[in-house]
Amino acid sequence: MNKAKRKTVIAGNWKMNKTPVEAAQLIYDINQRISNIETKGCEIVACVPFVDIDAAVKAADGTRIKIGAENCHWAKSGAFTGEISADMLKACGVEYVIIGHSERRQYFGETDLTVNQRLHAALEAGLTVILCVGELLEQREQGITEEIVSMQTKIALLNVTEEQMKNVVIAYEPVWAIGTGKTATSEQADEVCGIIRNVLAKLYSKKTAEATSILYGGSMNAKNAKELLSMENVDGGLIGGASLKAEDFSIIIEAAQ
Ligand code: PEP
């Protein structure tokens, strides 16, 4: 299967930005800007803070924009003060959820094992997962990017069936490129997305490896998106900062066509 047959996904990660009113406005603005763009075969997703979900789902109703969350808990319900379950997200109209973002790993004690647990909960609830993996700068400099990214991918996907992989998208996000303005070169992005695809081929099959969308994330913007998205193994983008500007986000969506 070649790249053209895989689903392209352009997903925004809004992080801890926007009130519900601002969220609705941003969805409206993005929709206005993409109204003349052909987006067949491209999933457009906005992953928003929990409190914005209701407003974002309503604003996105009848548009091509799908709403995602930025995390979910691994349990179905229970004594986990302050947490949100995958079932709750599903009931609110959420379709996608980011799992294992490096900011969760860095600041909130996320481990490969909890990533795996959350991923199972999300899949069981019927959500599509955007699984984030990526190396730190020191790890790249030590030459262990392949080992780190392979290990993160394998542990995250422990006991995930080949059938369930239809609802998993992987985002390669080198930690040194997130929110820093430093982008991986298109060759670096393509190389590591290719490494992840090889891991999937070994874990599952060539068919699943070739059918799974693998995104690049890390300072993707309106200027560099076209080149990154043209690479054979890069099937879309997970975009932080630039997803908060309707104009930039819509240019990236256009670049993916
Ligand atoms: C992200 O948060 O996933 C991300 C890629 O951020 P940025 O685009 O701002 O680097």
Side-chain angles (χ1 to χ4, degrees):
M1 189 188 279
N2 61 21
K3 178 184 165 97
K5 297 210 177 114
R6 285 192 288 271
K7 184 172 66 176
T8 302
V9 180
I10 299 295
N13 172 17
W14 290 10
K15 312 195 187 202
M16 195 172 71
N17 292 291
K18 304 291 175 191
T19 64
V21 169
E22 291 166 347
Q25 184 66 49
L26 182 52
I27 297 287
Y28 176 83
D29 291 344
I30 294 167
N31 189 47
Q32 288 288 99
R33 289 185 180 271
I34 62 171
S35 58
N36 297 324
I37 302 174
E38 173 59 66
T39 56
K40 214 163 141 248
C42 176
E43 296 265 291
I44 302 163
V45 186
C47 297
V48 308
F50 292 137
V51 293
D52 292 344
I53 287 171
D54 187 47
V57 166
K58 284 183 184 133
D61 188 31
T63 75
R64 287 170 281 174
I65 304 168
K66 297 188 168 162
I67 301 304
E70 300 174 12
N71 188 25
C72 72
H73 197 263
W74 55 78
K76 272 190 127 21
S77 62
F80 299 103
T81 304
E83 292 295 318
I84 302 287
S85 76
D87 286 343
M88 290 170 179
L89 296 177
K90 183 73 180 173
C92 291
V94 164
E95 292 180 68
Y96 277 77
V97 62
I98 297 173
I99 302 283
H101 191 277
S102 63
E103 286 153 14
R104 304 284 330 160
R105 295 178 191 255
Q106 209 173 342
Y107 306 127
F108 302 102
E110 189 79 78
T111 66
D112 289 326
L113 279 178
T114 54
V115 166
N116 174 252
Q117 290 174 317
R118 291 181 206 274
L119 192 139
H120 277 286
L123 291 175
E124 273 156 32
L127 299 171
T128 297
V129 170
I130 301 176
L131 162 67
C132 299
V133 296
E135 81 288 2
L136 303 169
L137 183 59
E138 307 88 270
Q139 294 167 332
R140 175 160 283 270
E141 285 171 352
Q142 271 181 277
I144 56 171
T145 298
E146 176 163 359
E147 286 91 331
I148 294 293
V149 168
S150 301
M151 185 187 68
Q152 289 175 341
T153 306
K154 284 180 190 169
I155 300 176
L157 296 178
L158 200 69
N159 296 325
V160 172
T161 66
E162 188 151 21
E163 182 60 25
Q164 287 177 311
M165 282 303 291
K166 291 180 181 152
N167 293 317
V168 176
V169 171
I170 300 181
Y172 165 54
E173 298 209 307
V175 181
W176 48 271
I178 297 181
T180 57
K182 275 189 210 152
T183 318
T185 64
S186 45
E187 290 75 22
Q188 286 170 327
D190 192 52
E191 185 193 8
V192 184
C193 290
I195 288 170
I196 295 168
R197 209 175 294 290
N198 286 339
V199 170
L200 298 182
K202 284 193 193 121
L203 284 179
Y204 299 100
S205 62
K206 193 159 184 281
K207 186 170 163 234
T208 289
E210 291 184 352
T212 304
S213 299
I214 303 180
L215 321 182
Y216 167 77
S219 300
M220 187 183 277
N221 58 41
K223 288 206 180 89
N224 60 26
K226 206 168 181 68
E227 193 186 330
L228 286 160
L229 294 169
S230 71
M231 304 308 285
E232 177 59 30
N233 280 301
V234 180
D235 304 313
L238 180 57
I239 300 121
S243 73
L244 294 168
K245 295 177 205 123
E247 186 180 2
D248 292 18
F249 194 55
S250 57
I251 292 172
I252 296 171
I253 293 166
E254 199 165 8
Q257 305 317 309

